Amino acid sequence: MRVTIEMIAREAEVSAPTVSRALNNDRLVHPATRARVLAIATKIGYQRSGRRKKDRSDAKAPSITFLISHLSHYPINHGLLSLIHGITAEADATTCQLFIEHLNESSRGKLHLRTHRPRSLLPDTTDIVVIQGKHDPHDVDTLARLRPVVSLQWEYAGTQVDLVESFNARGIADIVRMLVDKGHRRLCWIQDRYAASFFHDRLAGFYRGCIETGLKTDGMPVVPISELLASDTTFLNILGALRKDGVTVLVCANDGLAHEIATMCQKHGVRIPQDISLTGYDADPQLTPEGLELCSYHPNFVDLGRAALRVCLQRLSESASKPIIQSMEGHIREGQTVATLPAPETS
Protein backbone atom coordinates (compact mmCIF):
# COMPACT_ATOMS: atom_id res chain seq x y z
CA MET A 1 0.00 0.00 0.00
CA ARG A 2 1.33 3.41 -0.97
CA VAL A 3 1.90 5.72 1.99
CA THR A 4 0.47 9.20 1.48
CA ILE A 5 0.98 12.56 3.12
CA GLU A 6 -2.61 12.36 4.40
CA MET A 7 -1.81 9.09 6.23
CA ILE A 8 1.21 10.70 7.91
CA ALA A 9 -0.90 13.73 8.85
CA ARG A 10 -3.51 11.55 10.58
CA GLU A 11 -0.84 9.67 12.52
CA ALA A 12 1.04 12.82 13.49
CA GLU A 13 -2.18 14.73 14.25
CA VAL A 14 -1.20 17.70 12.10
CA SER A 15 -2.45 19.07 8.78
CA ALA A 16 -1.37 17.67 5.42
CA PRO A 17 0.26 21.02 4.46
CA THR A 18 2.31 20.87 7.66
CA VAL A 19 3.47 17.37 6.77
CA SER A 20 4.40 18.53 3.27
CA ARG A 21 6.41 21.44 4.64
CA ALA A 22 8.11 19.25 7.24
CA LEU A 23 9.09 16.66 4.64
CA ASN A 24 10.55 19.46 2.52
CA ASN A 25 12.58 20.68 5.50
CA ASP A 26 10.73 23.97 5.81
CA ARG A 27 12.47 25.64 8.73
CA LEU A 28 9.33 27.55 9.64
CA VAL A 29 7.95 24.24 10.93
CA HIS A 30 9.09 23.78 14.55
CA PRO A 31 11.89 21.18 14.90
CA ALA A 32 9.79 19.16 17.37
CA THR A 33 6.93 18.94 14.84
CA ARG A 34 9.33 18.06 12.05
CA ALA A 35 10.87 15.40 14.28
CA ARG A 36 7.49 13.72 14.80
CA VAL A 37 6.54 13.93 11.12
CA LEU A 38 9.89 12.58 9.96
CA ALA A 39 9.83 9.74 12.48
CA ILE A 40 6.31 8.66 11.50
CA ALA A 41 7.05 8.99 7.78
CA THR A 42 10.17 6.87 8.19
CA LYS A 43 8.38 4.26 10.31
CA ILE A 44 5.45 3.69 7.97
CA GLY A 45 7.62 3.66 4.84
CA TYR A 46 6.93 6.95 3.08
CA GLN A 47 8.94 7.21 -0.13
CA ARG A 48 9.78 10.62 -1.50
CA SER A 49 9.81 11.09 -5.22
CA GLY A 50 12.91 12.21 -7.06
CA ARG A 51 16.60 11.73 -6.38
CA ARG A 52 18.07 12.01 -2.91
CA LYS A 53 21.21 13.92 -3.81
CA LYS A 54 22.75 17.12 -2.61
CA ASP A 55 21.13 20.27 -3.93
CA ARG A 56 23.48 21.84 -6.46
CA SER A 57 22.64 25.25 -5.07
CA ASP A 58 24.11 24.22 -1.73
CA ALA A 59 26.74 21.72 -2.80
CA LYS A 60 29.16 22.77 -0.04
CA ALA A 61 26.70 22.10 2.78
CA PRO A 62 27.44 18.80 4.54
CA SER A 63 24.74 16.16 4.23
CA ILE A 64 24.01 13.82 7.12
CA THR A 65 22.00 10.59 7.30
CA PHE A 66 20.33 9.76 10.61
CA LEU A 67 19.95 5.97 10.46
CA ILE A 68 17.46 4.45 12.92
CA SER A 69 17.64 0.75 13.71
CA HIS A 70 14.52 -1.42 13.35
CA LEU A 71 11.99 1.35 13.96
CA SER A 72 9.13 -0.82 12.70
CA HIS A 73 9.48 -3.13 15.73
CA TYR A 74 9.24 -0.43 18.38
CA PRO A 75 6.94 2.49 19.17
CA ILE A 76 8.18 5.99 18.41
CA ASN A 77 9.22 7.08 21.88
CA HIS A 78 10.01 10.35 23.56
CA GLY A 79 13.76 9.75 23.45
CA LEU A 80 13.86 9.15 19.69
CA LEU A 81 11.65 12.16 18.95
CA SER A 82 13.86 14.34 21.13
CA LEU A 83 17.01 13.11 19.37
CA ILE A 84 15.48 13.92 15.97
CA HIS A 85 14.34 17.29 17.35
CA GLY A 86 17.89 18.08 18.45
CA ILE A 87 19.64 16.98 15.29
CA THR A 88 17.03 18.77 13.15
CA ALA A 89 17.37 22.01 15.11
CA GLU A 90 21.16 21.89 14.88
CA ALA A 91 20.97 21.14 11.15
CA ASP A 92 18.88 24.31 10.78
CA ALA A 93 21.51 26.35 12.60
CA THR A 94 24.35 25.00 10.47
CA THR A 95 22.56 24.72 7.06
CA CYS A 96 23.32 20.98 6.89
CA GLN A 97 21.15 18.70 4.78
CA LEU A 98 19.58 15.95 6.87
CA PHE A 99 18.15 12.62 5.73
CA ILE A 100 16.18 10.34 8.11
CA GLU A 101 16.36 6.63 7.26
CA HIS A 102 15.11 3.42 8.85
CA LEU A 103 17.01 0.15 8.55
CA ASN A 104 14.56 -2.71 8.02
CA GLU A 105 14.94 -5.98 9.91
CA SER A 106 15.31 -7.75 6.56
CA SER A 107 18.49 -5.75 5.91
CA ARG A 108 20.12 -6.55 9.24
CA GLY A 109 23.63 -7.86 8.68
CA LYS A 110 23.38 -7.28 4.92
CA LEU A 111 24.61 -3.72 4.38
CA HIS A 112 27.63 -5.09 2.56
CA LEU A 113 25.12 -5.68 -0.26
CA ARG A 114 24.24 -2.47 -2.11
CA THR A 115 20.62 -3.54 -2.54
CA HIS A 116 20.10 -3.45 1.25
CA ARG A 117 21.57 -0.01 1.84
CA PRO A 118 19.34 3.02 2.49
CA ARG A 119 18.98 5.34 -0.47
CA SER A 120 20.87 8.16 1.20
CA LEU A 121 23.97 5.96 1.30
CA LEU A 122 24.13 5.83 -2.48
CA PRO A 123 27.04 7.74 -4.06
CA ASP A 124 27.05 11.57 -3.92
CA THR A 125 24.19 11.70 -1.43
CA THR A 126 25.51 11.88 2.14
CA ASP A 127 28.82 12.73 3.77
CA ILE A 128 28.45 11.13 7.19
CA VAL A 129 26.08 8.80 9.07
CA VAL A 130 24.62 9.07 12.58
CA ILE A 131 23.35 5.72 13.88
CA GLN A 132 20.75 5.29 16.62
CA GLY A 133 19.64 2.09 18.32
CA LYS A 134 21.22 -1.35 18.23
CA HIS A 135 22.85 -2.12 14.89
CA ASP A 136 24.57 -5.28 13.73
CA PRO A 137 28.34 -4.81 14.31
CA HIS A 138 29.05 -6.06 10.78
CA ASP A 139 26.68 -3.40 9.39
CA VAL A 140 28.44 -0.72 11.42
CA ASP A 141 31.77 -1.91 10.06
CA THR A 142 30.37 -1.72 6.52
CA LEU A 143 29.02 1.78 7.13
CA ALA A 144 32.36 2.91 8.55
CA ARG A 145 34.08 1.77 5.37
CA LEU A 146 31.66 3.82 3.28
CA ARG A 147 31.33 6.98 5.37
CA PRO A 148 32.39 8.35 8.76
CA VAL A 149 29.98 7.14 11.46
CA VAL A 150 28.80 8.78 14.67
CA SER A 151 26.95 6.53 17.13
CA LEU A 152 24.42 7.69 19.71
CA GLN A 153 24.95 5.83 23.02
CA TRP A 154 26.07 2.48 21.54
CA GLU A 155 29.77 1.58 21.41
CA TYR A 156 31.10 -0.73 18.67
CA ALA A 157 34.48 -2.16 19.65
CA GLY A 158 36.99 -2.64 16.86
CA THR A 159 35.32 -0.19 14.47
CA GLN A 160 36.29 3.45 13.88
CA VAL A 161 33.10 5.08 15.17
CA ASP A 162 32.69 8.37 17.00
CA LEU A 163 30.43 8.33 20.06
CA VAL A 164 27.95 10.76 21.58
CA GLU A 165 26.58 9.57 24.91
CA SER A 166 25.03 10.71 28.15
CA PHE A 167 27.05 10.43 31.37
CA ASN A 168 25.54 7.00 32.08
CA ALA A 169 27.68 6.07 35.09
CA ARG A 170 27.52 9.53 36.61
CA GLY A 171 23.76 9.69 36.12
CA ILE A 172 23.10 6.49 38.05
CA ALA A 173 25.66 7.46 40.71
CA ASP A 174 23.76 10.73 41.16
CA ILE A 175 20.52 8.78 41.59
CA VAL A 176 22.13 6.56 44.24
CA ARG A 177 23.34 9.64 46.13
CA MET A 178 19.83 11.10 46.00
CA LEU A 179 18.39 7.82 47.32
CA VAL A 180 20.86 7.73 50.19
CA ASP A 181 19.98 11.34 51.04
CA LYS A 182 16.36 10.16 51.31
CA GLY A 183 17.30 7.46 53.78
CA HIS A 184 17.66 4.38 51.55
CA ARG A 185 20.50 2.03 52.48
CA ARG A 186 19.66 -1.23 50.74
CA LEU A 187 19.23 -0.97 46.96
CA CYS A 188 18.62 -3.52 44.20
CA TRP A 189 19.82 -3.08 40.63
CA ILE A 190 17.38 -4.28 37.93
CA GLN A 191 19.20 -5.35 34.78
CA ASP A 192 17.79 -5.26 31.26
CA ARG A 193 17.27 -8.27 28.98
CA TYR A 194 20.17 -7.48 26.65
CA ALA A 195 23.75 -6.28 27.00
CA ALA A 196 24.83 -2.82 25.89
CA SER A 197 27.83 -0.67 26.70
CA PHE A 198 25.67 1.97 28.37
CA PHE A 199 24.06 -0.64 30.64
CA HIS A 200 27.52 -1.72 31.77
CA ASP A 201 28.31 1.93 32.48
CA ARG A 202 25.08 2.37 34.45
CA LEU A 203 25.77 -0.71 36.56
CA ALA A 204 29.26 0.66 37.22
CA GLY A 205 27.61 3.93 38.25
CA PHE A 206 25.35 2.02 40.64
CA TYR A 207 28.37 0.54 42.42
CA ARG A 208 30.24 3.83 42.26
CA GLY A 209 27.32 5.63 43.91
CA CYS A 210 27.17 2.99 46.64
CA ILE A 211 30.89 3.26 47.36
CA GLU A 212 30.87 7.06 47.38
CA THR A 213 28.00 7.14 49.88
CA GLY A 214 29.48 4.54 52.21
CA LEU A 215 27.20 1.64 51.27
CA LYS A 216 28.68 -1.83 51.13
CA THR A 217 28.56 -3.27 47.62
CA ASP A 218 29.15 -6.86 48.77
CA GLY A 219 25.89 -8.70 48.35
CA MET A 220 24.05 -5.70 46.92
CA PRO A 221 21.43 -7.57 44.87
CA VAL A 222 21.39 -7.49 41.06
CA VAL A 223 18.27 -9.01 39.49
CA PRO A 224 17.67 -9.44 35.73
CA ILE A 225 14.24 -8.17 34.68
CA SER A 226 13.55 -11.45 32.84
CA GLU A 227 13.99 -13.30 36.14
CA LEU A 228 11.91 -10.85 38.17
CA LEU A 229 8.98 -10.92 35.73
CA ALA A 230 9.12 -14.59 34.81
CA SER A 231 5.67 -15.12 36.36
CA ASP A 232 3.33 -13.54 38.88
CA THR A 233 4.43 -15.99 41.55
CA THR A 234 8.12 -15.41 40.83
CA PHE A 235 7.63 -11.65 40.98
CA LEU A 236 5.94 -11.81 44.37
CA ASN A 237 8.50 -14.26 45.73
CA ILE A 238 11.53 -12.26 44.59
CA LEU A 239 10.07 -8.94 45.65
CA GLY A 240 9.09 -10.39 49.02
CA ALA A 241 12.59 -11.79 49.52
CA LEU A 242 14.18 -8.46 48.58
CA ARG A 243 12.01 -6.52 50.98
CA LYS A 244 12.67 -9.04 53.77
CA ASP A 245 16.38 -8.50 53.08
CA GLY A 246 15.91 -4.78 53.68
CA VAL A 247 15.72 -3.56 50.06
CA THR A 248 13.65 -0.37 49.87
CA VAL A 249 14.23 0.70 46.27
CA LEU A 250 14.60 -0.91 42.84
CA VAL A 251 17.10 0.98 40.69
CA CYS A 252 16.25 0.13 37.07
CA ALA A 253 18.64 0.33 34.10
CA ASN A 254 16.02 2.29 32.14
CA ASP A 255 12.47 3.60 32.35
CA GLY A 256 11.01 0.75 30.34
CA LEU A 257 11.94 -1.74 33.05
CA ALA A 258 10.59 0.55 35.76
CA HIS A 259 7.23 0.83 34.01
CA GLU A 260 7.02 -2.96 33.60
CA ILE A 261 7.63 -3.34 37.33
CA ALA A 262 5.12 -0.59 38.18
CA THR A 263 2.47 -2.40 36.12
CA MET A 264 3.16 -5.66 37.96
CA CYS A 265 3.08 -3.85 41.31
CA GLN A 266 -0.33 -2.40 40.54
CA LYS A 267 -1.60 -5.84 39.52
CA HIS A 268 -0.64 -7.31 42.88
CA GLY A 269 -1.45 -4.39 45.15
CA VAL A 270 2.16 -3.39 45.85
CA ARG A 271 2.19 0.34 46.50
CA ILE A 272 4.80 2.68 45.00
CA PRO A 273 6.53 4.30 46.82
CA GLN A 274 4.97 3.25 50.13
CA ASP A 275 5.95 -0.43 49.81
CA ILE A 276 8.86 -0.13 47.40
CA SER A 277 10.52 2.85 45.72
CA LEU A 278 11.39 2.81 42.03
CA THR A 279 13.79 4.71 39.74
CA GLY A 280 14.67 4.59 36.04
CA TYR A 281 16.80 6.26 33.40
CA ASP A 282 15.69 8.24 30.29
CA ALA A 283 12.99 10.52 31.80
CA ASP A 284 10.17 9.14 29.67
CA PRO A 285 7.06 11.30 30.26
CA GLN A 286 4.82 8.24 30.58
CA LEU A 287 3.21 7.99 34.01
CA THR A 288 3.00 4.78 36.04
CA PRO A 289 -0.38 2.96 36.14
CA GLU A 290 -1.08 4.84 39.38
CA GLY A 291 -0.51 8.17 37.64
CA LEU A 292 2.89 8.88 39.19
CA GLU A 293 5.82 10.56 37.47
CA LEU A 294 8.77 8.19 37.59
CA CYS A 295 11.94 9.24 39.37
CA SER A 296 14.51 9.06 36.57
CA TYR A 297 17.68 10.48 35.10
CA HIS A 298 17.08 12.91 32.25
CA PRO A 299 19.87 12.60 29.65
CA ASN A 300 18.70 15.69 27.71
CA PHE A 301 18.10 13.89 24.41
CA VAL A 302 17.65 17.14 22.47
CA ASP A 303 21.16 18.18 23.48
CA LEU A 304 22.46 14.71 22.54
CA GLY A 305 20.97 15.12 19.07
CA ARG A 306 22.54 18.56 18.72
CA ALA A 307 25.89 17.21 19.91
CA ALA A 308 25.76 14.36 17.38
CA LEU A 309 25.50 16.82 14.52
CA ARG A 310 28.33 18.97 15.92
CA VAL A 311 30.53 15.86 16.15
CA CYS A 312 29.65 15.12 12.52
CA LEU A 313 30.97 18.52 11.49
CA GLN A 314 34.08 18.05 13.62
CA ARG A 315 34.73 14.66 12.05
CA LEU A 316 34.31 16.04 8.52
CA SER A 317 36.81 18.80 9.27
CA GLU A 318 39.25 16.45 11.08
CA SER A 319 38.99 13.28 9.05
CA ALA A 320 42.24 11.79 10.35
CA SER A 321 41.72 12.49 14.05
CA LYS A 322 41.35 9.82 16.74
CA PRO A 323 37.81 8.67 17.66
CA ILE A 324 35.76 11.49 19.15
CA ILE A 325 33.82 10.79 22.36
CA GLN A 326 31.37 13.46 23.49
CA SER A 327 29.62 12.90 26.83
CA MET A 328 26.68 15.12 27.73
CA GLU A 329 25.40 16.28 31.10
CA GLY A 330 21.92 15.38 32.28
CA HIS A 331 19.96 15.85 35.50
CA ILE A 332 17.74 13.94 37.91
CA ARG A 333 13.97 14.16 37.55
CA GLU A 334 12.89 13.36 41.09
CA GLY A 335 9.33 12.37 40.23
CA GLN A 336 6.97 10.76 42.73
CA THR A 337 8.13 7.14 42.97
CA VAL A 338 10.74 7.47 45.72
CA ALA A 339 9.78 7.66 49.39
CA THR A 340 11.75 9.58 52.00
CA LEU A 341 12.49 7.17 54.81
CA PRO A 342 12.58 8.19 58.47
CA ALA A 343 16.00 8.60 60.02
CA PRO A 344 17.07 5.53 62.03
CA GLU A 345 16.49 5.82 65.76
CA THR A 346 19.55 6.41 67.88
CA SER A 347 19.92 4.92 71.34
Side-chain angles (χ1 to χ4, degrees):
M1 180 178 65
R2 179 174 173 269
V3 178
T4 66
I5 285 177
E6 289 72 20
M7 293 168 64
I8 300 170
R10 286 195 296 272
E11 185 73 18
E13 298 181 342
V14 296
S15 68
T18 296
V19 170
S20 181
R21 292 197 301 271
L23 293 175
N24 286 297
N25 201 32
D26 185 336
R27 296 179 183 187
L28 294 179
V29 179
H30 193 278
T33 302
R34 267 189 285 157
R36 180 164 179 77
V37 169
L38 290 169
I40 290 171
T42 302
K43 181 180 178 70
I44 65 178
Y46 178 73
Q47 299 290 326
R48 301 190 202 187
S49 59
R51 296 177 300 168
R52 305 243 341 222
K53 293 188 177 183
K54 286 187 178 182
D55 296 333
R56 291 185 179 181
S57 61
D58 199 14
K60 294 183 180 180
S63 59
I64 297 166
T65 291
F66 185 59
L67 185 59
I68 305 167
S69 175
H70 315 312
L71 180 60
S72 59
H73 286 257
Y74 306 103
I76 298 173
N77 59 37
H78 170 74
L80 176 59
L81 288 177
S82 297
L83 288 171
I84 298 175
H85 177 177
I87 199 170
T88 300
E90 193 69 15
D92 289 353
T94 56
T95 68
C96 293
Q97 297 186 66
L98 181 65
F99 301 128
I100 310 291
E101 297 276 13
H102 164 226
L103 189 63
N104 294 317
E105 180 65 33
S106 61
S107 295
R108 181 178 176 81
K110 300 177 182 177
L111 291 190
H112 60 286
L113 303 172
R114 288 175 57 88
T115 53
H116 284 273
R117 295 173 192 166
R119 289 183 299 160
S120 64
L121 293 182
L122 297 177
D124 302 322
T125 304
T126 197
D127 297 306
I128 191 166
V129 181
V130 178
I131 56 175
Q132 186 275 336
K134 184 179 181 180
H135 289 264
D136 185 286
H138 296 97
D139 287 340
V140 177
D141 187 64
T142 296
L143 290 172
R145 295 173 190 276
L146 296 170
R147 304 284 191 278
V149 175
V150 177
S151 176
L152 278 160
Q153 294 279 42
W154 290 79
E155 294 182 40
Y156 294 92
T159 301
Q160 176 82 9
V161 173
D162 298 319
L163 176 67
V164 176
E165 61 175 358
S166 63
F167 277 114
N168 292 284
R170 185 187 303 177
I172 293 294
D174 286 348
I175 283 181
V176 171
R177 281 189 285 272
M178 180 268 293
L179 293 170
V180 172
D181 288 343
K182 289 181 178 291
H184 297 271
R185 294 293 182 272
R186 186 75 171 149
L187 322 176
C188 175
W189 177 256
I190 304 298
Q191 198 139 279
D192 209 334
R193 296 174 176 85
Y194 60 93
S197 56
F198 49 86
F199 287 146
H200 295 309
D201 292 343
R202 292 175 195 177
L203 178 56
F206 175 73
Y207 287 125
R208 169 181 157 184
C210 291
I211 292 169
E212 291 176 349
T213 55
L215 300 182
K216 295 181 179 180
T217 58
D218 292 346
M220 197 71 79
V222 173
V223 178
I225 189 68
S226 56
E227 179 181 328
L228 179 62
L229 302 184
S231 68
D232 289 355
T233 300
T234 301
F235 173 77
L236 291 173
N237 287 342
I238 292 178
L239 186 61
L242 290 172
R243 293 177 64 194
K244 186 177 181 180
D245 190 37
V247 169
T248 56
V249 58
L250 306 180
V251 182
C252 299
N254 62 31
D255 287 355
L257 307 185
H259 284 295
E260 289 186 67
I261 291 171
T263 298
M264 190 69 90
C265 284
Q266 183 199 41
K267 180 179 180 181
H268 294 289
V270 179
R271 300 170 302 167
I272 299 172
Q274 295 93 333
D275 298 326
I276 193 75
S277 291
L278 191 65
T279 73
Y281 192 110
D282 287 338
D284 192 301
Q286 178 186 350
L287 301 178
T288 71
E290 299 295 339
L292 304 177
E293 184 178 59
L294 180 68
C295 176
S296 185
Y297 188 78
H298 197 313
N300 293 332
F301 286 115
V302 172
D303 289 344
L304 281 172
R306 286 183 173 275
L309 193 137
R310 291 195 296 269
V311 169
C312 286
L313 297 181
Q314 182 180 349
R315 170 54 61 200
L316 291 175
S317 66
E318 304 172 8
S319 58
S321 69
K322 294 181 179 179
I324 301 166
I325 299 177
Q326 177 71 62
S327 299
M328 302 296 296
E329 293 280 1
H331 62 274
I332 293 176
R333 183 187 71 187
E334 290 210 11
Q336 302 161 308
T337 58
V338 172
T340 299
L341 302 182
E345 296 182 2
T346 57
S347 57

